[in-house]
Amino acid sequence: MFYMTALGLGVALIAIFSGQMLEGAALSALIQPGAFLIVFGGTLGAVIAQSSPKDFLLSLRVLRWISRPPVSDREDTIKEIVGWSRIAYRDGALMLDGLSDAINDPLLKNGVEMIVDSYDPEYIRDTLVTEVKIRDARLRHAAKMWESAGAYAPTVGILGSVVGLLQVMSGLNDVSRLGAGIAAAFVATVYGLVFLPLAAKLRAIIFELTLRDELRVEGLTMIAQNKQPRLVERTLVAAGERAANVVDIRRAA
């Protein structure tokens, strides 16, 4: 997923810089420290003002997902769960007890521990689904903070433009500086548009993360039901293919 982010940013930057050069303007006109400070500082302040400390820190943590998404390969997930199902089906669920200590993912660890303790399969499903829903809601709320930043930033950018134009108007006696001053003022509005694709990317990552964990829940429930490993594999592969189609449709939209 990261290569799509890098590709999109690269295309956008090339288009902006190429258009700037074709218009005969200097690339330095797009670099305005004052406008940058107004837009990003003002937007950050607005986001902090609307957030709790916990939500704000979570929104900062999920930003690293732009370069390193937490979603593992779907085939690896299926292989891991099918391997556990073979152990449980052949040797009994208690044989999974030694594996739980090596599992770092809280959802998988909790699921395996409940299987080892012979919890009812439907209880395991309901418990894990609830975990997924709570985590999904929390992450979506964190992503919405960057959506809010995308809403605030253009407005703050307009404020930066107004501040820049006021500076220009105060120097009308120096006509030679008017063009550069007006250009610098409107660069602030351009800076204000960067948060929207960031929020959209985080939503897509959270969507895939939820699909992956729903797949895990189904697999763990089937292990608790002592289903045959071949049946577990077929079910998860079919569900994974359907999930891939859903993700592709969402990306296309």
Side-chain angles (χ1 to χ4, degrees), residues 24-72:
L27 294 180
S28 58
L30 295 174
I31 304 174
Q32 302 292 337
F36 180 90
L37 181 61
I38 290 173
V39 172
F40 284 87
T43 301
L44 181 62
V47 170
I48 291 174
Q50 74 165 31
S51 309
S52 67
K54 182 178 180 179
D55 290 336
F56 180 69
L57 291 176
L58 179 60
S59 69
L60 291 179
R61 287 199 296 269
V62 299
L63 275 182
R64 70 178 185 272
W65 291 359
I66 298 298
S67 60
R68 298 184 63 184
V71 182
S72 59

Side-chain angles (χ1 to χ4, degrees), residues 192-240:
L193 301 176
V194 300
F195 290 102
L196 293 177
L198 179 71
K201 191 69 175 184
L202 287 175
R203 286 200 310 270
I205 292 172
I206 294 169
F207 180 74
E208 288 202 39
L209 186 64
T210 300
L211 286 177
R212 181 205 65 183
D213 284 346
E214 288 176 350
L215 199 66
R216 288 174 164 180
V217 170
E218 184 62 30
L220 291 169
T221 302
M222 294 185 74
I223 294 175
Q225 294 170 339
N226 200 32
K227 298 290 185 181
Q228 292 183 357
R230 185 60 179 167
L231 178 60
V232 174
E233 184 176 14
R234 286 182 177 178
T235 302
L236 296 185
V237 168

Side-chain angles (χ1 to χ4, degrees), residues 3 48 86 92 111 119 134 176 236 242 248 250-251:
Y3 76 89
I48 291 174
R86 290 195 178 101
Y119 280 66
I134 292 174
S176 63
L236 296 185
R242 290 195 298 271
D248 289 340
R250 186 179 177 89
R251 284 173 179 167

